[in-house]
Amino acid sequence: MGNILANIILVYLNPLNLVLQVTGMRVYTSGDVEAVNGTDVRLRCTFDSQVPINPHTLTISWSFKPLTKGREESVFYYHNKPYPPLEGMFRKRISWAGDVMGRDASIIIKEVKFTYNGTYTCQVKNPPDVHGALGEIRLLVVTTDMRSFVLS
């Protein structure tokens, strides 16, 4: 329905049927991720752009919203180089694990804590391709890796 409505609006706004290029950044994440308390976890975020990647204008931003009440917090920013947070609960805990030209915007959180439970959002902009859905990952920090138990 959304695409049909968008096409109707484009035809209405462009009655001469001139070619309008509509771009949209596509961001892919792993969805739900489990990590054992005290271990490192990779938050995978990859992307597709309708225009060639320009490493000088591309930006990546990661944010965090806790499960419990709390405000959204910036976790990481990339523009020409990585900018991990200088303050806040993620200070000295985030490292860049991506490759811009390989369309990878992943990060690693070091030594996860239970307070890191929540939703992480990955946003990528590659001008003029700046619109599109955000990638979301729900992180659950657990005490034990349940995959190590064998049912007998």
Side-chain angles (χ1 to χ4, degrees), residues 17-56:
N17 285 331
L18 300 174
V19 175
L20 295 175
Q21 177 143 2
V22 177
T23 59
M25 180 66 71
R26 289 184 301 277
V27 177
Y28 309 97
T29 60
S30 47
D32 294 341
V33 173
E34 264 190 23
V36 175
N37 184 41
T39 64
D40 297 352
V41 65
R42 180 185 180 110
L43 300 184
R44 187 173 303 279
C45 176
T46 58
F47 59 92
D48 247 343
S49 180
Q50 300 297 314
V51 297
I53 303 299
N54 183 339
H56 302 294

Side-chain angles (χ1 to χ4, degrees), residues 5-136:
L5 182 58
N7 289 337
I8 291 170
I9 291 170
L10 284 175
V11 170
Y12 178 74
L13 294 175
N14 187 10
L16 299 176
N17 285 331
L18 300 174
V19 175
L20 295 175
Q21 177 143 2
V22 177
T23 59
M25 180 66 71
R26 289 184 301 277
V27 177
Y28 309 97
T29 60
S30 47
D32 294 341
V33 173
E34 264 190 23
V36 175
N37 184 41
T39 64
D40 297 352
V41 65
R42 180 185 180 110
L43 300 184
R44 187 173 303 279
C45 176
T46 58
F47 59 92
D48 247 343
S49 180
Q50 300 297 314
V51 297
I53 303 299
N54 183 339
H56 302 294
T57 59
L58 182 129
T59 61
I60 298 164
S61 54
W62 280 87
S63 60
F64 165 73
K65 180 82 169 129
L67 284 179
T68 57
K69 291 183 181 176
R71 63 180 183 84
E72 191 168 335
E73 181 174 340
S74 177
V75 172
F76 181 84
Y77 184 75
Y78 182 99
H79 182 221
N80 288 321
K81 67 178 186 172
Y83 291 94
L86 299 176
E87 56 187 33
M89 66 188 240
F90 292 101
R91 182 176 182 263
K92 296 188 177 186
R93 297 286 185 143
I94 304 294
S95 65
W96 173 241
D99 171 15
V100 170
M101 296 311 290
R103 293 171 161 69
D104 186 352
S106 302
I107 59 172
I108 293 175
I109 304 177
K110 301 173 193 168
E111 300 173 8
V112 295
K113 304 175 184 181
F114 294 112
T115 54
Y116 294 177
N117 282 324
T119 302
Y120 293 79
T121 304
C122 173
Q123 181 178 36
V124 182
K125 295 182 178 183
N126 182 40
D129 201 355
V130 297
H131 302 290
L134 304 176
E136 284 191 353

